[in-house]
């Protein structure tokens, strides 16, 4: 009997611990925002002064590619060869284009494979490349400081950027669209006028939506945008369809909507003044188109965007 009384007392004590359900105080704390998230009202310029009009996607014509391990004396490529590795700025947060494989720890994706082809042309070995992870905002500063030889990171060629860095020919043609939660009612960019939209700082996407939406939130990485969308802190993400396809693949409760409303021509970023490296990279891209490598890389990574299109046609200014 004594044991039974003790058990009843323990049960009553357990049931009486804490307030009854009607008195439980609901949690109202807001979800934390990603580091360095900010609300912007205008797209910042990458450098002082207005960019002159230019034929942005016309690059330098390549010559014949030298054989691997036989780079011309005194060239930028010879300096890279002497070092023993190509240093390429890439992303690690954009699934399909440049991301870190959680199983292997390796950085993979369409952009990463383009960088590997440049290394292969210099060394005959695509593994002789050191990847440096860069955010969208870091791409130009890292090229200007010489921290990397090239940047291959969904980088749109613009007249504004050509004031600060050089570019290869176009290696991929993307376009900006919109990612929302399924059944949101938003069907394209025209539905964002009263919405909160997330973009990555330092991207052309910021310029393209800042005057079309109620609130623009800028964050360092596109995966930060996905988290904010999942937490209800933003209503949409708007950027290139290549990037959105990777985000949608990570969250089946999201969808890409609307038609492209911009043209985004991706180029390999090169430090300004290194024309020989620009011509060399263009030669690599020409070969990738001709021998089927470009189509094979597309098939490996970008089939969520549809069947492989023809590679972009090269345009040169000389």
């Amino acid at each position: 009997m004594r044991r039974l009384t003790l058990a009843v007392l323990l049960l009553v004590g357990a049931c009486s611990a804490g307030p009854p359900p009607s008195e439980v105080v609901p949690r109202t704390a807001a979800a934390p925002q990603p580091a360095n998230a900010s609300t912007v009202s205008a797209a910042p310029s990458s450098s002082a002064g207005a960019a002159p009009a230019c034929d942005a996607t016309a690059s330098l014509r390549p010559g014949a590619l030298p054989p691997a391990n036989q780079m011309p004396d005194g060239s930028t490529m010879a300096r890279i060869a002497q070092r023993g590795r190509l240093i390429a700025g890439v992303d690690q947060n954009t699934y399909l284009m440049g991301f870190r494989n959680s199983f292997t720890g390796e950085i993979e994706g369409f952009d990463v494979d383009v960088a590997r082809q440049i290394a292969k042309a210099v060394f005959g070995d695509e593994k002789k490349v050191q990847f440096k992870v860069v955010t969208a905002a870091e791409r130009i500063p890292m090229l200007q400081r010489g921290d990397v030889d090239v940047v291959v990171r969904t980088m749109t060629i613009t007249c504004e950027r050509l004031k600060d860095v050089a570019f290869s020919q176009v290696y991929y043609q993307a376009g900006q669209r919109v990612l929302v939660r399924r059944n949101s009612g938003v069907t394209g960019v025209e539905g964002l006028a009263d919405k909160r939209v997330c973009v990555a700082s330092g991207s052309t996407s910021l310029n393209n939506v800042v005057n079309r939406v109620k609130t623009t939130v800028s964050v360092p990485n596109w995966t930060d945008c996905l988290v904010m969308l999942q937490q209800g802190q933003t209503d949409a993400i708007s950027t290139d369809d290549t990037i959105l396809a990777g985000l949608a693949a990570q969250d089946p409760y999201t969808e890409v909507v609307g038609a492209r409303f911009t043209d985004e021509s991706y180029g390999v970023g090169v430090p300004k003044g290194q024309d020989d490296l620009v011509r060399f990279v263009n030669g690599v891209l020409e070969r990738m188109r001709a021998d089927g490598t470009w189509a094979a890389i597309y098939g490996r990574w970008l089939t969520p965007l549809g069947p492989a299109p023809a590679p972009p046609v090269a345009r040169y200014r000389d």
Side-chain angles (χ1 to χ4, degrees):
M1 184 67 176
R2 187 173 180 178
R3 291 180 181 176
L4 179 59
T5 302
L6 179 60
V8 170
L9 289 173
L10 290 174
L11 180 60
V12 171
C15 291
S16 63
S22 61
E23 297 180 16
V24 173
V25 178
R27 297 180 64 183
T28 58
Q33 290 193 341
N36 300 317
S38 62
T39 301
V40 296
S41 57
S45 173
S46 62
S47 58
C54 72
D55 189 359
T57 59
S59 188
L60 299 175
R61 189 176 300 277
L65 275 177
N69 293 310
Q70 297 181 38
M71 298 299 105
D73 291 341
S75 67
T76 303
M77 295 78 72
R79 174 179 56 79
I80 293 170
Q82 180 65 31
R83 183 200 298 136
R85 67 193 186 282
L86 175 77
I87 303 177
V90 297
D91 197 359
Q92 68 170 359
N93 291 295
T94 302
Y95 184 57
L96 303 181
M97 297 301 290
F99 67 99
R100 191 173 296 278
N101 186 313
S102 59
F103 294 102
T104 66
E106 298 293 324
I107 296 179
E108 301 176 346
F110 184 91
D111 281 347
V112 174
D113 280 358
V114 171
R116 290 190 184 280
Q117 288 298 308
I118 299 171
K120 184 177 180 180
V122 176
F123 299 102
D125 184 352
E126 66 175 28
K127 294 182 179 180
K128 288 192 174 182
V129 54
Q130 174 188 347
F131 294 118
K132 284 196 174 183
V133 174
V134 299
T135 66
E138 292 170 338
R139 293 175 298 193
I140 289 176
M142 290 190 75
L143 284 168
Q144 291 176 317
R145 293 194 302 264
D147 295 339
V148 293
D149 299 313
V150 294
V151 166
V152 194
R153 191 195 184 283
T154 59
M155 193 173 183
T156 301
I157 306 168
T158 68
C159 293
E160 176 75 16
R161 287 172 171 168
L162 279 165
K163 293 190 299 179
D164 301 314
V165 298
F167 281 100
S168 71
Q169 61 179 268
V170 178
Y171 71 86
Y172 189 84
Q173 188 66 52
Q176 189 162 345
R177 296 178 68 191
V178 176
L179 181 77
V180 291
R181 291 182 292 274
R182 289 189 180 276
N183 303 316
S184 69
V186 175
T187 58
V189 67
E190 64 282 350
L192 300 180
D194 62 344
K195 304 298 184 184
R196 299 162 298 169
V197 179
C198 189
V199 297
S201 55
S203 67
T204 55
S205 303
L206 177 60
N207 305 52
N208 296 333
V209 300
V210 71
N211 294 320
R212 297 172 178 254
V213 305
K214 178 182 179 181
T215 305
T216 306
V217 180
S218 174
V219 295
N221 295 297
W222 291 113
T223 46
D224 295 327
C225 279
L226 182 60
V227 171
M228 294 190 76
L229 181 66
Q230 291 167 333
Q231 293 179 339
Q233 295 175 312
T234 60
D235 302 304
I237 304 169
S238 184
T239 187
D240 306 345
D241 48 5
T242 49
I243 298 170
L244 296 182
L247 295 177
Q250 297 173 75
D251 187 341
Y253 296 102
T254 65
E255 61 180 344
V256 181
V257 297
R260 287 180 174 180
F261 60 94
T262 69
D263 290 320
E264 307 296 329
S265 302
Y266 293 167
V268 177
V270 176
K272 205 166 183 65
Q274 295 184 6
D275 290 357
D276 59 342
L277 182 55
V278 173
R279 295 183 190 277
F280 180 83
V281 171
N282 283 342
V284 175
L285 295 174
E286 288 272 18
R287 185 166 69 187
M288 288 174 61
R289 283 200 302 269
D291 67 8
T293 299
W294 188 95
I297 293 174
Y298 183 101
R300 182 179 181 188
W301 299 112
L302 300 183
T303 50
L305 291 167
V313 176
R315 298 180 60 254
Y316 302 116
R317 63 176 183 264
D318 62 350

